[in-house]
């Protein structure tokens, strides 16, 4: 059974082939009927599996078709190889994507013959552990909901586990990006005159050879043997003890797409069955797997092209830390860091090179594009939730002035930081209203994340509306007036939502002992801060000339005081 050549993958085509436009193909057929009825998307029974399939396909295409230059990248975007040529390219690696091979099998440990036996449900990150089941605590994610899997979906579930691998106990290693990484991909959107193909979605996230080399500088591109790319082709590096870590220089840079921290072998049954995931019959069943600890222990400066990172500004020699899935999901407050970088955050290489490469900008400039961010929110070994969201991504015109681009980024920073300041003030105000002593340990430990989540969700649409206004008018002669109107609109939106949530949680309480006089006073202080707080003035500068005058007057006053105390003018 082979992931590449067998027909197992449900996809959607552009035009009617069935009532739902669905078709089942092999990866070999990814470019079939491309000019007439192309594949436009993947159908998967779970969102995490769908995301993992995208990552897998990007990795496969990157291996067999890494473009040598931006020009080649642009040509392949518009004119991919025909089905026969694509099949020839995949034939070079087909042998290594067998699922049930007794030796080298896709994403499975080469030498593992015996180990701890686990039910196949445990291959999913959110599945309850043995102790949870023993203590009868599997209240939300129940045991035995998945008992058998179709081998192809078992292989994809295994790839998902290896890709997002969280901590799994002693010696059960995390993925190459740490546990529960946040994956970001760039996806073009459909237009009335053109439905975006799956190929275009995948190829947008492909890097050129030089970009791959720059992304993972520590890895060795001269290691061209396929064992350096596909880790299941050689024995795992047993990581029991110090000095057994796996470093980038031991592998080809493309290894990151197929990293394999867990030692696992799937257990097959030759009898027919029904896949618990899809509800469809399968010729073979996967009922469980065996596993053993101390697999590949990834360490050092590994960089994955689809992951944003955080760098240590004080010690830039330290390897960057991958950004993980976020509690509450990814929202507009993360937009700046994920798309163009912010403070110590650097976006995924895929996004960085779209912004830096003129050829890519020319190709993508007139397309509507979104950033697809997805990942697990992990609490150590426990998956709290799977989050994914899309947000607009802007490709600047190839002739855009750098000063205009930087001004746009600074404006977005102001929008987001103002929102953050108001969220902070809202939390402080509600804490004051709820507790007699807001500085007490109980008050400080109170969880107000529900306020932040509600505030962000309720202002998100307005943020993207203001963002699009600023981007669309980046070179407009009337940008100053447009910016002023947009800034005022955003400030008023934040004010309305802040007061609405304060009143909802402080005035509508069922507590008959609440001190209304105290709450009204807190509300008055909150309004005063929203309107006149010093952290808000950077946004008010956009539309309120009195703020500019106030700041200039204060600066003059400071200079006078400095002068009277023997400042630079008198220091002779």
């Amino acid at each position: 059974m082979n992931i590449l050549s067998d027909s197992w993958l449900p996809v959607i085509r552009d035009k009617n082939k069935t009532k739902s436009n669905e078709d089942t193909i092999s990866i070999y057929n990814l470019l079939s009927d491309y000019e007439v009825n192309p594949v436009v998307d993947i159908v998967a029974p779970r969102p995490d599996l769908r995301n993992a399939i995208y990552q897998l396909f990007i990795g496969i295409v990157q291996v067999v078709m890494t473009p040598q230059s931006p020009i080649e990248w642009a040509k392949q975007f518009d004119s991919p190889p025909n089905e026969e040529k694509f099949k020839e390219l995949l034939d070079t690696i087909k042998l290594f994507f067998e699922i049930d091979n007794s030796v080298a099998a896709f994403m499975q440990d080469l030498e593992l013959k015996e180990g701890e036996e686990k039910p196949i449900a445990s291959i999913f990150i959110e599945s309850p552990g043995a102790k949870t089941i023993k203590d009868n605590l599997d209240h939300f994610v129940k045991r035995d909901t998945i008992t058998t899997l179709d081998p192809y979906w078992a292989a994809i579930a295994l790839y998902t586990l290896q890709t997002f691998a969280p901590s799994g106990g002693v010696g059960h290693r995390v993925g190459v990006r740490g546990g529960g990484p946040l994956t970001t991909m760039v996806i073009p959107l459909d237009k009335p005159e053109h439905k975006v193909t799956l190929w275009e979605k995948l190829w947008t996230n492909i890097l050129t050879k030089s970009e791959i080399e720059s992304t993972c500088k520590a890895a060795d591109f001269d290691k061209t043997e396929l064992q350096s790319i596909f880790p299941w082709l050689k024995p795992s590096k047993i990581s029991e003890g110090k000095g057994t870590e796996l470093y980038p220089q031991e592998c080809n840079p493309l290894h990151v797409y197929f990293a394999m921290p867990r030692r696992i072998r799937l257990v097959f049954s030759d009898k027919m069955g029904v896949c618990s995931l899809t509800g469809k019959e399968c010729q073979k069943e996967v009922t469980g797997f065996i596993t053993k600890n101390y697999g590949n222990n990834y360490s050092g400066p590994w960089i994955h092209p689809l992951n944003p990172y955080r760098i240590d500004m004080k010690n830039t020699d330290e390897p960057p830390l991958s950004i993980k899935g976020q509690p509450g999901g990814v929202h507009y407050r993360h937009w700046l860091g994920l798309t163009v970088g912010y403070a110590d955050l650097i976006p995924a290489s895929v996004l960085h090179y779209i912004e830096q490469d003129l050829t890519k900008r020319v190709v993508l400039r007139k397309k509507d594009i979104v950033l697809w961010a997805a990942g697990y929110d992990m609490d150590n070994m426990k998956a709290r939730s799977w989050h994914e969201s899309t947000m607009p991504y802007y490709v600047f015109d190839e002739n855009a002035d750098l000063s205009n681009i930087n001004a746009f980024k600074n404006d977005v920073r102001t929008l987001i930081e103002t929102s953050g300041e108001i969220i902070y003030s809202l939390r402080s105000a509600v804490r004051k209203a709820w507790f007699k002593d807001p500085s007490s340990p109980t008050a400080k430990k109170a969880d107000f994340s529900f306020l932040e989540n509600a505030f962000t969700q309720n202002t998100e649409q307005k943020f993207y509306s203001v963002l699009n206004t600023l981007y669309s008018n980046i070179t407009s002669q009337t940008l100053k007036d447009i910016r002023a109107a947009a800034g005022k609109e955003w400030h008023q939106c934040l004010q309305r939502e802040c007061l609405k949530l304060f009143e909802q949680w402080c005035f509508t309480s069922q507590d008959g002992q609440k001190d209304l006089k105290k709450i009204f006073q807190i509300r008055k202080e909150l309004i005063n801060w929203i309107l006149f707080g010093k952290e808000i003035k950077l946004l008010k500068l956009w539309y309120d000339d009195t703020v500019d005058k106030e700041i200039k007057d204060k600066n003059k006053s400071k200079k006078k005081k400095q002068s009277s105390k023997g400042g630079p003018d008198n220091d002779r």
Side-chain angles (χ1 to χ4, degrees):
M1 305 181 81
N2 193 283
I3 283 281
L4 299 183
S5 60
D6 296 351
S7 293
W8 64 272
L9 179 67
V11 296
I12 298 174
R13 289 190 178 272
D14 183 17
K15 298 171 185 172
N16 289 333
K17 193 161 186 173
T18 63
K19 286 185 179 179
S20 60
N21 289 15
E22 283 194 26
D23 192 9
T24 301
I25 65 169
S26 70
I27 301 177
Y28 271 17
N29 305 133
L30 200 67
L31 293 170
S32 60
D33 296 331
Y34 190 77
E35 298 298 332
V36 180
N37 192 18
V39 174
V40 296
D41 210 345
I42 293 165
V43 179
R46 290 169 47 123
D48 56 341
L49 300 188
R50 179 173 177 267
N51 185 271
I53 291 172
Y54 265 84
Q55 294 188 59
L56 173 61
F57 285 10
I58 289 168
I60 290 171
V61 173
Q62 191 76 69
V63 169
V64 299
M65 285 188 66
T66 295
Q68 297 299 305
S69 67
I71 298 297
E72 185 182 334
W73 181 93
K75 288 179 179 178
Q76 297 285 11
F77 183 93
D78 292 322
S79 302
N82 60 36
E83 183 181 6
E84 193 59 35
K85 176 62 178 174
F86 190 60
K87 179 179 178 297
E88 289 177 11
L89 292 168
L90 293 178
D91 272 340
T92 61
I93 60 171
K94 173 190 170 184
L95 182 64
F96 315 124
F97 283 79
E98 293 289 335
I99 301 172
D100 57 346
N101 197 352
S102 60
V103 190
F106 175 67
M107 298 305 292
Q108 298 171 63
D109 188 275
L110 181 66
E111 296 183 325
L112 187 63
K113 302 300 180 186
E114 56 183 33
E116 181 185 1
E117 295 184 11
K118 290 196 173 186
I120 194 59
S122 297
I123 208 164
F124 295 102
I125 290 174
E126 81 283 0
S127 293
K131 188 175 187 308
T132 300
I133 293 174
K134 182 181 177 182
D135 296 341
N136 202 32
L137 295 174
D138 53 329
H139 303 309
F140 301 106
V141 181
K142 301 291 185 182
R143 71 191 81 178
D144 299 332
T145 54
I146 294 176
T147 55
T148 60
L149 286 181
D150 180 290
Y152 301 105
W153 287 112
I156 295 301
L158 176 57
Y159 178 81
T160 305
L161 173 63
Q162 301 278 25
T163 300
F164 291 100
S167 173
V170 176
H172 292 282
R173 304 303 184 188
V174 299
V176 71
R177 296 176 277 173
L182 181 71
T183 299
T184 55
M185 288 179 264
V186 186
I187 306 293
L189 294 178
D190 295 336
K191 286 191 173 184
E193 68 278 8
H194 174 67
K195 201 158 191 176
V196 175
T197 66
L198 178 59
W199 173 260
E200 290 172 312
K201 295 172 184 176
L202 298 175
W203 193 257
T204 302
N205 296 279
I206 295 295
L207 299 181
T208 65
K209 185 175 184 292
S210 63
E211 290 167 353
I212 283 284
E213 290 174 331
S214 297
T215 294
C216 200
K217 297 176 183 177
D220 187 355
F221 223 120
D222 290 332
K223 289 185 177 295
T224 55
E225 64 275 11
L226 291 173
Q227 292 94 329
S228 293
I229 299 175
F230 304 130
W232 58 91
L233 299 183
K234 63 179 181 180
S236 296
K237 188 174 183 181
I238 306 303
S239 57
E240 190 173 5
K242 292 184 178 180
T244 55
E245 296 85 0
L246 184 60
Y247 291 97
Q249 55 266 32
E250 300 177 57
C251 303
N252 185 287
L254 300 182
H255 180 102
V256 293
Y257 291 104
F258 308 97
M260 202 178 78
R262 300 290 182 90
R263 301 185 69 197
I264 288 174
R265 293 291 298 200
L266 298 176
V267 175
F268 295 86
S269 168
D270 287 331
K271 67 178 183 179
M272 291 181 62
V274 176
C275 177
S276 301
L277 205 57
T278 65
K280 296 180 180 179
E281 286 190 356
C282 47
Q283 299 300 313
K284 264 187 174 185
E285 292 181 331
V286 178
T287 56
F289 61 92
I290 59 171
T291 184
K292 200 169 184 178
N293 53 3
Y294 300 114
N296 294 321
N297 185 14
Y298 293 98
S299 185
W302 287 95
I303 302 293
H304 195 293
L306 302 178
N307 214 99
Y309 286 84
R310 188 183 302 277
I311 56 175
D312 187 342
M313 304 297 283
K314 295 180 180 178
N315 187 1
T316 54
D317 291 333
E318 285 294 311
L321 299 174
S322 64
I323 301 300
K324 307 299 193 296
Q326 304 292 309
V330 175
H331 299 287
Y332 73 81
R333 63 180 182 267
H334 306 109
W335 186 87
L336 198 62
L338 295 182
T339 57
V340 296
Y342 171 59
D344 58 348
L345 291 175
I346 54 175
S349 297
V350 165
L351 286 91
H352 171 74
Y353 287 111
I354 288 175
E355 183 179 1
Q356 296 296 315
D357 190 274
L358 183 61
T359 304
K360 289 186 176 182
R361 282 165 60 184
V362 170
V363 171
L364 300 174
R365 171 69 180 89
K366 294 182 180 179
K367 300 183 183 298
D368 292 331
I369 294 177
V370 294
L371 175 70
W372 179 19
Y376 282 98
D377 169 24
M378 300 296 304
D379 179 12
N380 196 13
M381 295 168 62
K382 181 175 69 178
R384 287 184 289 226
S385 56
W386 167 266
H387 288 292
E388 64 177 82
S389 58
T390 57
M391 53 183 71
Y393 178 72
Y394 298 114
V395 179
F396 295 100
D397 187 278
E398 61 272 18
N399 298 316
D401 187 89
L402 185 59
S403 62
N404 289 338
I405 295 175
N406 289 334
F408 170 77
K409 293 177 182 178
N410 288 332
D411 283 349
V412 177
R413 183 179 292 111
T414 299
L415 296 176
I416 294 173
E417 288 181 349
T418 303
S419 172
E421 293 290 348
I422 290 182
I423 288 172
Y424 178 82
S425 298
L426 171 63
R427 293 169 66 148
S428 298
V430 174
R431 183 181 283 109
K432 283 182 184 178
W434 280 14
F435 295 94
K436 288 183 179 180
D437 180 9
S439 61
S440 67
T442 303
K444 287 182 177 180
K445 288 180 181 178
D447 182 9
F448 289 102
S449 59
F450 66 92
L451 285 174
E452 183 173 355
N453 292 335
F455 184 92
T456 302
Q457 290 170 10
N458 295 343
T459 56
E460 191 156 35
Q461 186 175 357
K462 178 59 68 177
F463 172 81
Y464 289 128
S465 173
V466 171
L467 184 70
N468 190 60
T469 297
L470 294 175
Y471 171 74
S472 301
N473 294 279
I474 194 170
T475 58
S476 172
Q477 297 296 320
T478 59
L479 177 60
K480 184 177 180 180
D481 294 335
I482 293 170
R483 181 172 175 266
K488 188 173 185 179
E489 188 180 355
W490 179 237
H491 191 191
Q492 290 173 343
C493 171
L494 297 179
Q495 179 183 347
R496 285 193 304 269
E497 188 58 34
C498 179
L499 293 178
K500 185 184 86 172
L501 288 172
F502 178 83
E503 291 163 4
Q504 176 184 339
W505 290 101
C506 296
F507 283 116
T508 59
S509 168
Q510 299 299 312
D511 181 8
Q513 304 298 316
K514 59 178 175 285
D515 186 343
L516 288 178
K517 184 177 179 181
K518 171 189 172 185
I519 294 174
F520 270 110
Q521 179 59 33
I522 294 170
R523 182 181 183 276
K524 182 179 178 181
E525 293 171 359
L526 180 60
I527 292 173
N528 187 63
W529 188 90
I530 293 172
L531 293 176
F532 306 110
K534 65 179 182 179
E535 290 84 356
I536 306 298
K537 287 179 180 177
L538 202 57
L539 177 63
K540 288 187 73 176
L541 275 170
W542 292 18
Y543 67 89
D544 191 341
D545 292 336
T546 61
V547 176
D548 190 33
K549 184 177 183 303
E550 179 186 339
I551 291 174
K552 286 179 179 178
D553 289 345
K554 281 188 176 180
N555 288 337
K556 285 181 181 178
S557 176
K558 283 181 181 178
K559 286 181 180 179
K560 284 183 180 179
K561 286 181 180 179
Q562 189 183 42
S563 177
S564 64
K565 291 179 181 179
D569 290 339
N570 295 332
D571 189 16
R572 296 180 180 174

